[in-house]
């Protein structure tokens, strides 16, 4: 912990705009807390106790705070990243799971699975600003680069809703079965959404709001119904995407330009959350059903290490 | 606006698939139940409580509300036209009169006998029926009809799920207790079939009755019924439930009870917590005040399946939608894990079976290790080479 503080201090001197702690935060859905790993040697730095069922995590734009959706207690816990403890909370949010923050860190956009709504909270006052009806069981939430649009995936209605953040006008896009999470290509032209029960990623053309292409996943020796894509990341160069395939226990590697699968990486059991480190050399994958995190070398697609964390790891957030 | 159009059928031939109808923007789904269906009679339960199984209708109502959410994408709006038939004999007439008004898809809540008669009467007509509560294997076998889709799992599927579970637990020796109702015989028969299929040993099969008559003590005394045999587990077929209710902890040997009580195989339970199931169960409980059971889930799934087929097939006629419904592209999200679809050979919905206690879902079948050459879900129920269905 002291070491972490020192590292943070050094980084602060070198790059005053962004002081990372070199810590990896893993939310443990059934462990009711976060496991903090050292990003260099992967030792456990601390276990942070949170509200029940911590899942989605998003950093504030300055990385000083980490917001954690605690579905079991209907609130968002706010973790001080440097101090590694819960310092605040936003309560009375219906079963929160995944969410996004606007670029200024002023508003939090969250899906309410039971209510079928997108809710927007003011982070300064911690008050609900408004709720907007979407489809059934909304899950993934993503704001675009200038916060003018928010995308919500409703897994129970096979819909992606596009909401204009200025007017609240909603446009629906039909997707394949059970849309879950998003990734946007760096040029902002393509929105990728995982469709869990279709075993694929739908590619939405942002300009026309239409599904224009699919990426189908089928690791060797597996059947379509064993493949349940969930989380996905696209690298900053916009060349390669990595998609966790849930029950298939693999991560799919996709060429972003051609929408073709180029490789499959065997990880732990039921991989869900996935995150790049800062220089995009490593990927961290939370394996929900084997209680560990796989660390993948992004260039060679080799799993370098598996690190035990808490019970049912769900997501990974990296502060570097 | 297109209602008039939808009602204009084009007559194509004398028998078989004879009609086709262009599709309307407004889809009316028929929902027909039998007013005097004995399965829903109020029954006196323990301590003066009334055990009256709830009708599955709210499941279909919930699904109609849900599929209307994506109207801008599906291009359809749905309405549920719910009617009660007075009895089994008027079921077909009720459906025929709705069909003449342009209703093509029907969700039917009727028991095995009524469903068999109905499906036979509707053969070759311009309808498609979703069976949500009749579990009889004959409906998926010798009595199958092209116009019938079985959403609720068959007795064979439920029994196969239990058999897989027993094998996985290495509890292969079973004492079968069989009640006096025809449904009890059918359950026991399905269990026998499953035992043979998966290699369980039936230690003995014994008929029970609810009685205090000492002259029938070999049939009404639990100690006698469960003694003098060597077994790992007791399977009880008891659709009435009175005998089964007090069987656990009353057996002469310390053996678990499964089937009608204890570990119960079912299509749905509020205790099922994975794959988005709690959201479906919460929505249902919110609107009805009670838990979603297997038939309510089946009613919900029938309407959701129809919307999927309409939305994904982009079909121009009811006939094309029906072809898509039983085709290989169906990929229904039933909140049970794998995508669901209808078996082409008997129109049964392939699906996982939950093995539940009143407190928890203990397992979901297919159990790990039970493999199949095309789809592991087809290890439950009659597979293509075994089917007795000829459309």
């Amino acid at each position: 912990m002291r070491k972490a503080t020192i590292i943070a201090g050094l980084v602060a001197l070198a790059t005053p705009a962004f002081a990372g702690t070199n810590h990896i935060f893993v939310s443990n859905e059934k462990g009711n807390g976060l496991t903090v790993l050292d990003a260099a040697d992967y030792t456990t730095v601390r276990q942070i106790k949170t509200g029940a069922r911590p899942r989605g995590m998003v950093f504030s734009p300055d990385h000083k705070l980490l917001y954690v959706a605690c579905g079991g207690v209907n609130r968002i816990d706010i973790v001080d990243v440097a101090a590694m403890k819960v310092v605040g909370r936003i309560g009375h949010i219906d079963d929160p799971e995944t969410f996004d923050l606007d670029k200024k860190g002023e508003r939090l956009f969250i899906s309410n699975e039971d209510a079928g709504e997108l809710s927007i909270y003011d982070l300064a006052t911690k008050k609900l600003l408004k709720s907007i009806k979407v489809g059934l069981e909304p899950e993934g939430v993503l704001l675009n680069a200038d916060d003018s649009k928010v995308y919500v995936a409703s897994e129970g209605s096979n819909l992606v809703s596009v909401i204009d953040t200025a007017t609240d006008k909603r446009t629906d896009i039909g997707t394949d079965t059970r849309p879950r999470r998003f990734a946007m290509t760096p040029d902002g032209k393509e929105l990728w959404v995982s469709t869990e029960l279709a075993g694929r990623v739908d590619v939405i053309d942002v300009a026309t709001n239409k599904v224009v292409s699919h990426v189908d996943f089928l690791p060797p020796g597996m059947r379509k119904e064993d493949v349940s894509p969930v989380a996905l990341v696209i690298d900053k160069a916009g060349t390669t995407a990595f998609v966790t395939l849930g029950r298939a226990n693999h991560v799919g590697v996709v060429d972003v330009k051609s929408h073709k699968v180029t490789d499959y990486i065997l990880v732990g059991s039921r991989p869900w959350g996935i995150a790049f480190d800062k220089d995009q050399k490593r990927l961290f994958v939370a394996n929900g059903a084997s209680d560990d995190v796989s660390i993948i070398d992004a260039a060679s697609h080799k799993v370098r290490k598996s690190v035990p964390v808490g019970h049912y790891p769900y997501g990974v957030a990296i502060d570097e | 606006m297109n209602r008039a159009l939808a009602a204009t059928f084009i007559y194509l031939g004398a028998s078989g698939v004879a009609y086709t109808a262009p599709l309307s923007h407004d889809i009316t789904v028929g929902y027909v139940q039998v007013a005097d269906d004995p399965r829903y009679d109020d029954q006196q339960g323990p301590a003066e409580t009334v055990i009256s199984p709830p009708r599955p209708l709210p499941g279909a109502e919930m699904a109609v509300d849900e599929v209307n959410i994506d109207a801008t994408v599906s291009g359809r709006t749905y309405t549920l036209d719910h009617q009660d038939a007075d009895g089994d004999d008027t079921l077909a007439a009720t459906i025929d009169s709705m069909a003449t008004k342009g209703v093509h898809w029907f969700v039917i809540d009727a028991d095995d006998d009524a469903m068999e008669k109905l499906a036979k009467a509707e053969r070759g007509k311009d309808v498609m029926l979703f069976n949500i509560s009749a579990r009889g294997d004959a409906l998926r076998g010798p009595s199958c009809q092209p116009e019938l889709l079985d959403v609720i799992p068959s007795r064979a599927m439920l029994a196969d799920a239990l058999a897989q579970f027993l094998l996985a637990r290495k509890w292969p020796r079973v004492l079968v207790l069989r009640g006096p109702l025809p449904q009890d015989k059918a359950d026991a028969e399905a269990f026998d079939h499953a035992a043979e299929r998966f290699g369980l040993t039936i230690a003995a099969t014994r008929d029970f009755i609810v009685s205090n008559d000492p002259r029938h003590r070999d049939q009404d005394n639990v100690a006698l019924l469960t003694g003098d045999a060597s077994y790992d587990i007791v399977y009880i077929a008891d659709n009435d439930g009175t005998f089964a209710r007090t069987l656990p902890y009353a057996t002469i040997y310390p053996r678990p009870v499964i089937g009608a009580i204890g570990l119960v195989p079912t299509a749905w339970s509020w205790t099922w917590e994975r794959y988005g199931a709690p959201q479906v169960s919460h929505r249902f409980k919110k609107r009805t005040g009670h838990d979603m059971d297997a038939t309510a889930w089946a009613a919900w799934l029938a309407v959701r399946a129809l919307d999927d087929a309409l939305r994904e097939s982009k079909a121009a006629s009811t006939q094309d939608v029906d072809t898509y419904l039983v085709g290989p592209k169906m990929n229904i999200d039933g909140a049970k894990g794998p995508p669901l679809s209808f078996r082409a050979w008997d129109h049964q919905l392939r699906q996982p079976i939950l093995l539940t206690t009143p407190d928890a879902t203990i397992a979901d079948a297919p159990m790990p290790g039970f493999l199949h050459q095309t789809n592991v879900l087809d290890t439950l129920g009659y597979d293509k080479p075994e089917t007795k269905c000829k459309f």
Side-chain angles (χ1 to χ4, degrees):
Chain A
M1 199 193 359
R2 192 186 294 156
K3 191 173 113 203
T5 319
I6 294 164
I7 291 167
L10 290 173
V11 175
L13 283 175
T15 51
F18 199 72
T21 57
N22 282 322
H23 284 160
I24 297 160
F25 295 79
V26 181
S27 55
N28 301 306
E29 180 171 356
K30 294 191 181 175
N32 300 342
L34 311 182
T35 299
V36 185
L37 300 173
D38 183 288
D41 63 13
Y42 313 130
T43 53
T44 299
V45 177
R46 185 178 288 187
Q47 302 281 355
I48 304 173
K49 198 173 162 12
T50 64
R53 216 173 172 206
R55 290 185 284 178
M57 294 181 288
V58 179
F59 286 108
S60 60
D62 61 6
H63 270 233
K64 284 189 174 147
L65 300 172
L66 179 65
Y67 295 89
V68 184
C70 300
V73 285
N74 296 323
R75 68 174 195 240
I76 302 242
D77 279 1
I78 304 168
V79 173
D80 182 310
V81 172
M84 290 184 281
K85 61 178 187 190
V86 176
V87 293
R89 57 175 64 161
I90 307 169
H92 310 291
I93 301 179
D94 171 39
D95 192 19
E97 182 172 353
T98 60
F99 58 95
D100 202 0
L101 299 185
D102 66 3
K103 305 302 174 284
K104 290 184 186 159
E106 290 171 351
R107 287 170 302 163
L108 182 146
F109 294 69
I110 187 160
S111 54
N112 303 128
E113 206 168 22
D114 261 10
E117 289 173 346
L118 172 78
S119 292
I120 304 166
Y121 286 82
D122 180 78
L123 285 174
T125 62
K126 298 178 182 172
K127 291 274 188 292
L128 174 69
L129 295 173
K130 66 175 101 170
S131 291
I132 300 161
K133 273 275 170 212
V134 289
L136 291 169
E137 299 168 39
E139 171 140 337
V141 178
L142 184 74
L143 282 150
N144 68 350
D146 64 4
D147 295 333
S148 62
K149 287 178 201 165
V150 57
Y151 296 89
V152 184
S154 296
E155 61 185 36
S157 292
N158 302 337
L159 288 181
V160 166
S161 298
V162 192
I163 296 161
D164 184 311
T165 52
T167 63
D168 297 346
K169 188 180 172 306
R170 174 186 131 199
T171 310
D172 288 340
I173 306 165
T175 67
D176 282 299
T177 319
R178 212 164 180 83
R180 298 294 298 260
R181 306 290 172 75
F182 295 114
M184 185 81 83
T185 53
D187 61 10
K189 287 183 179 162
E190 286 181 0
L191 178 70
W192 291 30
V193 58
S194 55
T195 54
E196 189 181 15
L197 284 202
R200 59 168 44 157
V201 163
D202 282 2
V203 177
I204 294 169
D205 176 54
V206 169
T208 60
N209 286 340
K210 288 216 156 50
V211 175
V212 290
S213 175
H214 317 285
V215 184
D216 282 303
F217 297 95
L218 197 61
M222 296 230 158
R223 287 178 180 171
K224 183 181 157 286
E225 58 270 21
D226 297 326
V227 183
S228 48
V230 185
L232 61 165
V233 287
I234 298 175
D235 65 7
K236 287 177 207 156
T239 53
T240 313
F242 295 85
V243 185
T244 58
L245 301 179
R247 279 198 299 274
N249 303 338
H250 280 79
V251 170
V253 185
V254 187
D255 178 64
V256 173
K257 295 279 179 304
S258 67
H259 303 156
K260 292 272 190 298
V261 179
T262 57
D263 202 1
Y264 292 103
I265 307 166
L266 181 65
V267 289
S269 187
R270 206 200 71 175
W272 274 39
I274 184 165
F276 267 120
D277 65 3
K278 197 177 179 185
D279 59 9
Q280 304 210 319
K281 290 203 166 124
R282 293 171 299 178
L283 286 148
F284 294 79
V285 177
N287 302 307
S290 53
D291 291 358
D292 57 7
V293 167
S294 298
I295 299 152
I296 299 170
D297 181 81
S300 68
H301 305 166
K302 292 273 188 295
V303 176
R304 292 300 179 205
K305 206 170 165 70
S306 293
V307 182
V309 288
H311 197 29
Y312 268 85
Y314 172 99
V316 184
I318 301 173
D319 178 49
E320 278 187 307
Chain B
M1 82 207 156
N2 282 335
R3 277 215 176 112
L5 243 174
T8 319
F9 300 123
I10 303 159
Y11 186 72
L12 288 180
S15 66
V17 182
Y19 304 84
T20 186
L23 277 168
S24 162
H25 171 81
D26 306 302
I27 305 288
T28 300
V29 180
Y31 186 100
V32 183
Q33 59 187 18
V34 181
D36 64 359
D37 191 332
R39 298 175 302 169
Y40 302 104
D41 285 351
D42 283 353
Q43 291 168 27
Q44 209 64 32
E48 300 301 308
T49 56
V50 173
I51 309 168
S52 173
R55 295 266 188 177
L57 173 64
E61 291 171 336
M62 179 167 104
V64 165
D65 288 351
E66 293 178 5
V67 295
N68 279 329
I69 291 173
D70 60 289
T72 58
V73 169
S74 68
R76 316 276 176 206
T77 57
Y78 294 84
T79 331
L80 196 70
D81 182 2
H82 156 221
Q83 301 208 13
D84 280 7
D86 299 336
D88 292 0
D89 297 338
T90 55
L91 200 49
T94 307
I95 280 151
D96 289 345
S97 96
M98 291 165 81
T100 58
K101 292 179 195 126
V103 181
H104 176 77
W105 291 286
F106 291 88
V107 179
I108 309 290
D109 176 26
D111 65 15
D112 281 321
D113 290 346
M115 190 63 82
E116 271 188 47
K117 267 190 268 177
L118 171 68
K120 204 175 166 193
E122 296 302 310
R123 188 179 176 98
K125 292 186 187 168
D126 182 30
V127 295
M128 189 54 96
L129 312 172
F130 291 90
N131 163 26
I132 58 160
S133 62
R135 296 177 175 85
D137 289 320
L139 283 167
R140 292 84 172 158
S143 308
C144 71
Q145 299 292 350
E147 295 79 15
L148 181 64
L149 299 172
D150 300 294
V151 180
I152 198 83
S154 63
R155 289 200 156 83
M157 292 166 74
L158 300 172
D160 285 349
L162 277 178
Q164 288 189 3
F165 177 84
L166 294 182
L167 272 184
R169 286 284 185 280
K170 298 192 169 64
W171 300 339
R173 297 171 308 161
V174 189
L175 172 69
V176 174
L177 299 185
R178 187 169 58 183
L181 298 172
Q183 302 96 293
D184 300 339
K185 308 278 186 231
D187 279 341
E189 202 176 301
F191 190 81
D192 267 358
H193 181 263
E196 198 181 324
R197 200 172 181 218
F198 291 103
L200 299 173
T201 306
I202 306 279
T205 299
R206 292 170 183 167
D207 292 311
F208 69 81
I209 54 171
V210 178
S211 156
N212 293 318
D213 185 342
R215 277 154 295 231
H216 294 304
R217 64 176 160 251
D218 60 323
Q219 282 189 283
D220 61 21
N221 181 304
V222 174
L224 289 173
L225 278 164
T226 61
D228 192 29
S230 183
Y231 54 88
D232 302 308
I233 195 132
V234 181
Y235 168 82
I236 180 163
D238 182 9
N239 287 270
D240 171 77
T242 308
F243 192 87
R245 191 159 57 82
T246 54
L247 181 65
Y249 306 103
T251 53
I252 200 154
Y253 309 118
R255 299 286 182 269
V257 179
I258 62 168
I261 200 156
L263 190 76
V264 178
T266 182
W268 191 257
S269 161
W270 69 270
T271 61
W272 176 237
E273 292 186 282
R274 300 172 65 192
Y275 306 116
Q279 282 73 39
V280 177
S281 289
H282 285 168
R283 288 201 299 274
F284 185 84
K285 192 160 187 177
K286 216 170 173 179
R287 62 188 291 149
T288 62
H290 63 261
D291 291 319
M292 187 178 226
D293 64 8
T295 54
W297 175 83
W300 173 78
L301 191 107
V303 177
R304 296 291 306 243
L306 175 60
D307 177 55
D308 264 29
L310 278 158
R311 200 175 124 169
E312 299 306 319
S313 68
K314 301 180 174 63
S317 71
T318 52
Q319 200 188 337
D320 289 349
V321 175
D322 291 345
T323 306
Y324 188 92
L325 263 171
V326 296
K329 286 188 178 164
M330 278 301 280
N331 202 55
I332 316 163
D333 181 1
K336 293 219 269 190
L340 314 181
S341 51
F342 289 95
R343 291 175 181 148
W345 57 87
D346 64 358
H347 289 184
Q348 168 69 53
L349 183 76
R350 51 167 70 87
Q351 57 189 295
I353 300 295
L354 313 178
L355 298 163
T356 63
T357 69
D359 303 307
T361 297
I362 302 299
D364 56 300
M367 298 293 292
F370 287 87
L371 303 178
H372 188 274
Q373 61 272 28
T374 52
N375 188 329
V376 288
L377 293 177
D378 290 340
T379 63
L380 302 171
Y382 284 78
D383 199 358
K384 193 175 178 183
E386 307 158 307
T387 187
K388 290 170 186 152
C389 166
K390 282 196 193 98
F391 288 125

